[in-house]
Amino acid sequence: MTLAFCGTENNSAAYKVNHGVLNNGCFVDALNVVPHVFLLFITFPILFIGWGSQSSKVHIHHSTWLHFPGHNLRWILTFILLFVLVCEIAEGIVSDGFSDSRHLHLYMPPGMAFLAAITSIVYYHNIETSNFPKLLIALLFYWTLAFITKTIKFVKFCDNKIGPPQLRFCLTGLLVLLYGMLLLVEINVIRVRRYVFFKKPKEVKPPEDLQDLGVRFLQPFVNLLSKGTYWWMNTFIRTAHKKPIDLKAIGKLPIAMRALTNYMLLNEAFKTQKNTDTPNPQGSKSIWCALCHAFGRPLVLSSTFRILADVLGFAGPLCVSGIVHHVGKGNITFRPRTKILGVFFISSQEFLANAYVLAVLLFFALLLQRTFLQASYYVAIETGINLRGAIQTKIYNKIMRLSTSNMSMGEMTSGQICNLVAIDTNQLMWFFFLCPNLWAMPVQIIVGVLLLYYLLGISALIGAAVIIVLAPVQYFVATKLSQAQRSTLEYSNERLKKTNELLRGIKLLKLYAWEHIFHSSVEETRQKEMTSLRAFALYTSISIFMNAAIPIAAVLITFIVHAHVFKNADFSPSVAFASLSLFHILVTPLFLLSNSLGETHKIGTTLFVNRKRPTREDWNNYNSPIRRPVKVTEAEDYFKMSHEITFIIVGQLTMIVGQVGCGKSSLLLGILGEMQKVSGNVTWNSPERETAVDLETRKRGSVAYASQKPWLLNATVEENITFESPFNKQRYNAVIDACSLQPDIDILPHGDQTQIGERGINLSGGQRQRISVARALYQQTNVVFLDDPFSALDIHLSDHLMQEGILNMLRDDKRTVVLVTHKLQYLPHADWIIAMKDGTIQREGTLKDIQKSETELFEHWKTLMNRQDQELEKESLIERKAVLDRKTLQSTVYSREALLQDDEEDEDETPESDDEDNLSSVFHQRAKMPWRACGKYLSSAGFLLLPLLVLSQLLKHSVMVSTDFWLAHWTWSAIAFRGAKNCSYEQECRFDHSYYSKIFTILCGLGIILCLITSIAVEWTGLKVAKKLHCLLLNKIILAPMRFFETTPLGSILNRFSADCNTIDQHIPATLECLSRSTLLCLSALAVISYVTPMFLIALVPLAVICYFIQKYFRVASRDLQQLDDSTQLPLLSHFSETVEGLTTIRAFRYESRFKQKLLEYTDANNIASLFLTAANRWLEVRMEYIGACVVLIAAVTSITDSLSHKLSSGLVGLGLTYALMVSNYLNWMVRNLADMELQLGAVKRFNSLIKTEAEKYEGLLSPAQIPQNWPDQGEIQIQNLCVRYDSTLKPVLKHVNAHISPGQKIGICGRTGSGKSSFSLAFFRMVDTFEGEIIIDGIDIAKLPLQTLRSRLSIILQDPILFSGTIRFNLDPEKKCSDSMLWEALEIAQLKHVVKALPGGLDASITEGGENFSQGQRQLFCLARAFVRKTSIFIMDEATASIDMATENILQKVVMTAFADRTVVTIAHRVHTILNADMVIVMKRGVILEYDKPEILLEQEGSVFASFVQADK
């Protein structure tokens, strides 16, 4: 057929100009081409030739500056214009199909207009981002010309009486309107920017964000097309594939999204709510109103997008119905009756009667629907992230005002606060994401039911009723699922608490052979957790089953009723497959609605639990004025103090002394305003004449405070000492010297730049204490509070710190110093002394005053002062060596990045050859799926469950495909029967559905059964694997050697039991089910389409290639972003817990604002990672769904073509299109789940790496029968040529040690730090590697004994007091072997009987986690009591009295000597005077015994090292 612009028919009206050229339709169409040609010729040279030499007037980093007015309106109008032009092209092609020749003028001008519209928006975008407004004049001319020419065409249509019934008339009218509106937009740009026709153009500046090189999140700044398709993410995703994403790569948040901005917005909303609300605006309603006021607008936008997407979603089933219907009729439409100006005009009804048109419209509807859906998701999640940042900031500000009593009394724990931040704020964020779903779902359900009724009549309502009736069941299941999850979380928290205690006290557990007790305790809690997990798995499988089975049941009932009850009703493929698609659409919102309601209920109960705690200000407002701040002069009445006035004089050294638990630390806290004040007040630097107003308004300055329990930041040593103050090298070095920190810094791998782990995990107690004191010394504050800074220091370090630090640096600078101490030998240095007893001040004044007035007290002090002795430093060789070993092994414990990152190395990773090879292997590993971890996970399920899992999934999808094939065959048979029969009576034309319906019912029933089997199989597999892996890990960890715990960060091990265990327990099974389902659905859909139309395979190849590369790039970026999201959350949570623990210190220093600023930085870092992750997910989903839309278009076009050539039945066309729609739904889920699965399998990989840990050799050469029951009964110890090391790669710490300890002897061991005395004690328990020599106790070589037996027969008290949460009884006797009288006896020996008797419950009184409800000294005494309870013949004390005051220690020493007269006691001396009464003394140096004799002999020897230790003390 020949082509011509105006057609080739003879006497065509297209060539007649009798009534003027403007009355010739072809000429008018030709005239309409002129503006488009003009634009193309004008803009192409500018775009492609001259653009490279242009430069922007205003330099900005990103080419995304959108500053012309009406920008978004222009993009929206252009999109509508493009769609209308596509319709005009299609209308021209369809109408021209009825003519004898081809009329190019019907579709060539709109084709040119389409190109011009695309060019116009590209041209505009380049002009706008480069800020050359004068070049927009070309567009002004274009819109003017296009509007005029299109108006001429519209007028001529009116003249020829062409009206609304004709589609071309409507399209032309729309184009006139669109061109007119675009012209107005262009004029408005001139009016506002004045770039032409005005003398002075308006200057504009780019926003601050776009001038900032650090802002890389461009979603708020890009144009609508880039916003909708996330095009700006392309560069980011490509870069991510080349190098790992870090915080530098994602940059900073835009100002509008920062936590501070959103916090101010939320605060403003709360204030507004407070002003307009009822007198008590504290309820949940008030909070909801404030949240909606601050963040409601974006939610409305998100909901609008969601409703539009849901409505457009129904275009799929309707278009499928239309296509199948028209294909069944051979795509034959009525010949149009309207022929004007030589061409045919068609109506919209005739236009939509074409199957190809419906296929194209379906394609555009899918593109638009997916774009709106992803936009809705993005806006909702972005709003939720902004809200989360605001709420976290608000919580932090509240924490800063919390009273420390809340924390110490257990009313609000650090864990609760972390839960509030980590869980509750995230739940609120996800609730905001669910909100648009809640509002849009009812609309979707109503429209879906109406369309089903339109297609199927009454029978549709029966099917819909099945879904709606089962919706409450789904809601019930969702509620139960939520309850099971909450129950699981409670048991999980309990298990983690026990695991945490187990890991923190692992050294004690091994030394006491109590591993099995705590192992059983954790396993018992794990069993309870598994019971909850079973319930969780059961309800999850029911939920999955119902989601899959309900549409099958609804379809089955509907079609059976429709075929058998309404026998004359239409049961064609078009109706059946459209209904099938509608049922699948309808079941999703009902399922999500029930789940969303369950989530809403859960979030409501979580968020609005009464969490109010009185703040410090609230407490002080009960009975007295608020606390007073600035230099200390007077403090009156605090903590349990009654009617006493205390003076702390400016510029002088005040010392506070007293026994353990008398209230010394409480006095300091009371002065700082940290205690609950019952009456009286605290005045800082108060002149005598000062009004009440002055008192109220004056603020306290900064106080340098070193708490008794050292508090360190997760930062470098230098940052911990300077503590946000300016760095002064001279002062810094002086502080380092005063605190004797230089030797410790030299040991650390990176010196003072070494990263301190959380809570100082990689430092010893002494190091932590000295860094804490160094921080106080470094500050330039006028007031310094030091709470027992010498408790963990030996006598040399203490003297040095006292002289160089406190006296030379602080007192000589005339700074006010308050020192709490047990070191009474320093009392002569004090300007003022406060002596405390039982929470009251016993006496205060100078030392001379007390000597005169309290002679007895002074004499008691003098006795203790004379007996002060060598206090050897608390950090033992183990700890020092552990630090050295970490350096040797290049452990990553010191860097925050290493602490946060997980060990992701694959077991099969190749060794590095050089940097380039290593880099390429890293990229290869990042792009590779962890198949080995996947194999490990599946193999753990066992040989029964794994085949069941695979076979049930394959069978289920095979049955589902068979069911749909049978439906296609059934409906086609029914139509073919009616078409073939030409009967006179209706009865004869009735098709017998019974045979087909029976097979259909069997297949549907089988499908439902298989749905149940698969859902149960997946969850059961998950349960079995979770149980097995946790059991394996716990067994391996608890039996691991002590060396493992010293070189592996505690946080890393705990993460395996918390985050990774949770992933394996709850997330992997769900992801596995979703991944297998979406993958098999996509594969079966592609197989069905390929079977129906083999031509589709040609198009499938390029689509598959595109798909592969998209998922490949996405998986790498997604994993990096997910890890970054997790890793940025850890510092945030760590900052919260650090703040809670160091609240007193922060407030003493007046550093609240600095810590709030840090919080904002951490929150923004976490939020930017979350936003990039969200944008990456949207980037993937948009592309996958666009590919899905292409699959639908290709499947539709090929199946229509095949059908029209009589190769294909309409039933198979319907089947192919239904499955094509399924691909577009499940393609992105497949890739998303693949990325999730890859990330989650990392947990299995990390589990596996720890499971490979080698255990200690617990078995012995001797059987239990060969070991005497009461061994060791004598307590004789023979040490022969003993050599000990911590690891086979390290040097020996004990070298050829020989000693003989007779039964019942009292042995004292002393020596400087690092001499090997602690290693000596650990050798008795085989905690270290004895590679030469032997230890023989009562005739048995301990190397031949089983470890459990050996350790259970000896007793040791460690220098660090370890208590477990539980009762006092449990802490003393976890094995439950002792009677109450024995426990009371032990407590009496330990000087604790009166303390425990005063507690409610006595022996059953509770001890909080870590023994926080007792002082440091009392905790040490409990540890002594615990050792006394064991009553073994050999008793080892390893610097056990470090935290005990002198008076209590003297009593203890006497008791030990009498109570253990018949036992062998080995004492590692903390204070040398404690071993003066020993039978023998061992002096050690560098792992060898230097001196070994009776103390009196050693003291008499000239040049004795022991004698020098004693002499140095006097």
Side-chain angles (χ1 to χ4, degrees), residues 310 527 734 1005 1081 1098 1104 1226 1231 1339 1409 1436 1454:
D310 288 346
Q527 286 305 319
L1081 276 167
I1098 299 166
Y1226 287 103
V1231 179
E1409 192 175 351
I1436 298 163
K1454 289 174 187 173

Side-chain angles (χ1 to χ4, degrees), residues 74-290:
R74 182 193 296 264
W75 276 90
I76 292 166
L77 291 172
T78 306
F79 287 140
I80 297 169
L81 176 67
L82 289 168
F83 178 71
V84 173
L85 288 169
V86 167
C87 290
E88 194 179 15
I89 294 166
E91 190 273 344
I93 292 168
V94 172
S95 60
D96 195 35
F98 299 107
S99 304
D100 296 329
S101 68
R102 300 286 73 86
H103 295 76
L104 289 180
H105 69 95
L106 293 177
Y107 40 89
M108 190 183 133
M112 293 293 289
F114 187 83
L115 281 175
I118 291 171
T119 306
S120 74
I121 203 67
V122 171
Y123 181 74
Y124 166 78
H125 173 71
N126 282 281
I127 298 293
E128 184 177 33
T129 53
S130 304
N131 197 24
F132 283 103
K134 287 185 179 178
L135 291 175
L136 283 179
I137 197 76
L139 286 181
L140 180 71
F141 283 121
Y142 170 65
W143 300 129
T144 308
L145 287 171
F147 176 69
I148 291 167
T149 53
K150 199 54 75 175
T151 306
I152 292 169
K153 183 174 180 179
F154 185 71
V155 169
K156 289 304 161 190
F157 278 174
C158 292
D159 291 346
N160 285 283
K161 294 187 174 54
I162 299 168
Q166 279 74 45
L167 181 61
R168 204 174 305 158
F169 175 86
C170 299
L171 292 172
T172 306
L174 269 174
L175 288 169
V176 170
L177 185 65
L178 288 167
Y179 283 130
M181 289 177 77
L182 284 163
L183 178 59
L184 289 174
V185 169
E186 210 62 70
I187 292 166
N188 187 51
V189 175
I190 296 169
R191 184 186 67 80
V192 174
R193 291 297 303 275
R194 303 173 172 232
Y195 67 85
V196 73
F197 308 131
F198 289 93
K199 286 184 180 179
K200 195 175 180 184
K202 185 181 177 182
E203 291 294 328
V204 290
K205 288 184 178 179
E208 193 181 324
D209 286 320
L210 291 179
Q211 294 179 59
D212 189 345
L213 300 176
V215 176
R216 293 190 178 88
F217 188 77
L218 303 179
Q219 182 71 7
F221 312 111
V222 293
N223 59 57
L224 277 185
L225 181 65
S226 190
K227 260 192 178 81
T229 59
Y230 305 89
W231 192 261
W232 64 273
M233 282 286 289
N234 287 356
T235 311
F236 179 81
I237 299 277
R238 276 201 307 273
T239 309
H241 196 70
K242 293 175 185 173
K243 62 177 182 179
I245 301 168
D246 54 14
L247 276 173
K248 192 178 176 183
I250 60 177
K252 293 188 287 189
L253 268 177
I255 292 165
M257 293 178 174
R258 287 176 192 169
L260 182 61
T261 312
N262 289 299
Y263 168 69
M264 289 164 70
L265 189 71
L266 184 62
N267 242 13
E268 197 60 43
F270 271 115
K271 283 177 187 172
T272 309
Q273 196 62 31
K274 223 173 194 176
N275 296 335
T276 58
D277 214 333
T278 53
N280 180 27
Q282 296 297 323
S284 58
K285 184 186 172 185
S286 173
I287 295 172
W288 278 124
C289 290

Side-chain angles (χ1 to χ4, degrees), residues 1111-1124:
Q1111 68 83 29
K1112 184 184 174 186
Y1113 278 80
F1114 169 77
R1115 278 196 302 107
V1116 173
S1118 173
R1119 191 175 65 240
D1120 283 1
L1121 286 169
Q1122 187 67 62
Q1123 286 171 351
L1124 199 60

Side-chain angles (χ1 to χ4, degrees), residues 1055-1337:
N1055 266 344
R1056 301 299 82 80
F1057 284 102
S1058 56
D1060 289 349
C1061 193
N1062 182 49
T1063 300
I1064 292 167
D1065 285 353
Q1066 295 186 28
H1067 297 292
I1068 291 182
T1071 309
L1072 182 66
E1073 192 280 331
C1074 212
L1075 176 64
S1076 58
R1077 180 159 43 90
S1078 52
T1079 305
L1080 288 169
L1081 276 167
C1082 285
L1083 290 174
S1084 56
L1086 293 172
V1088 167
I1089 299 165
S1090 304
Y1091 171 77
V1092 170
T1093 50
M1095 286 288 289
F1096 173 76
L1097 286 168
I1098 299 166
L1100 184 61
V1101 174
L1103 287 177
V1105 170
I1106 294 166
C1107 239
Y1108 169 76
F1109 281 105
I1110 288 173
Q1111 68 83 29
K1112 184 184 174 186
Y1113 278 80
F1114 169 77
R1115 278 196 302 107
V1116 173
S1118 173
R1119 191 175 65 240
D1120 283 1
L1121 286 169
Q1122 187 67 62
Q1123 286 171 351
L1124 199 60
D1125 187 34
D1126 293 341
S1127 66
T1128 51
Q1129 196 174 24
L1130 284 175
L1132 176 65
L1133 296 177
S1134 176
H1135 186 66
F1136 267 93
S1137 60
E1138 270 179 3
T1139 302
V1140 170
E1141 286 169 14
L1143 208 48
T1144 309
T1145 308
I1146 294 164
R1147 290 201 290 236
F1149 276 85
R1150 280 277 180 257
Y1151 274 11
E1152 291 97 329
S1153 58
R1154 299 185 189 191
F1155 274 76
K1156 284 176 186 176
Q1157 185 55 43
K1158 266 190 178 180
L1159 181 273
L1160 292 173
E1161 288 168 15
Y1162 287 137
T1163 306
D1164 286 344
N1166 185 224
N1167 285 354
I1168 187 73
S1170 299
L1171 281 166
F1172 263 103
L1173 181 61
T1174 300
N1177 287 338
R1178 304 286 79 77
W1179 177 89
L1180 167 82
E1181 292 189 5
V1182 161
R1183 275 147 191 75
M1184 283 299 170
E1185 290 182 335
Y1186 285 179
I1187 288 171
C1190 292
V1191 168
V1192 173
L1193 178 66
I1194 295 162
V1197 170
T1198 52
S1199 57
I1200 292 164
T1201 308
D1202 276 2
S1203 181
L1204 293 177
S1205 59
H1206 304 294
K1207 291 179 185 175
L1208 204 60
S1209 70
S1210 59
L1212 287 176
V1213 172
L1215 179 69
L1217 289 178
T1218 305
Y1219 271 83
L1221 283 174
M1222 202 184 290
V1223 171
S1224 69
N1225 283 325
Y1226 287 103
L1227 204 55
N1228 72 77
W1229 277 111
M1230 184 177 75
V1231 179
R1232 278 282 296 279
N1233 285 312
L1234 195 65
D1236 287 348
M1237 181 56 81
E1238 183 182 10
L1239 191 73
Q1240 289 163 12
L1241 285 172
V1244 178
K1245 198 159 54 174
R1246 291 187 291 273
F1247 248 67
N1248 205 27
S1249 65
L1250 277 191
I1251 286 168
K1252 289 179 181 176
T1253 307
E1254 282 188 27
E1256 281 187 285
K1257 293 176 183 175
Y1258 272 75
E1259 301 80 15
L1261 298 174
L1262 300 176
S1263 65
Q1266 294 173 290
I1267 305 163
Q1269 277 289 73
N1270 56 348
W1271 179 92
D1273 53 346
Q1274 301 295 315
E1276 184 187 10
I1277 304 169
Q1278 289 177 301
I1279 301 165
Q1280 298 171 2
N1281 199 33
L1282 185 69
C1283 295
V1284 161
R1285 62 190 172 195
Y1286 281 92
D1287 194 78
S1288 56
T1289 58
L1290 300 173
K1291 292 178 182 177
V1293 288
L1294 290 181
K1295 304 161 195 167
H1296 307 290
V1297 172
N1298 289 282
H1300 179 263
I1301 300 168
S1302 301
Q1305 270 193 331
K1306 308 295 177 282
I1307 305 295
I1309 303 176
C1310 63
R1312 291 196 178 278
T1313 299
S1315 60
K1317 53 192 187 299
S1318 286
S1319 305
F1320 190 79
S1321 68
L1322 293 176
F1324 291 116
F1325 295 86
R1326 282 172 44 199
M1327 294 283 279
V1328 284
D1329 177 24
T1330 304
F1331 64 94
E1332 196 177 325
E1334 58 187 10
I1335 298 174
I1336 298 168
I1337 298 176

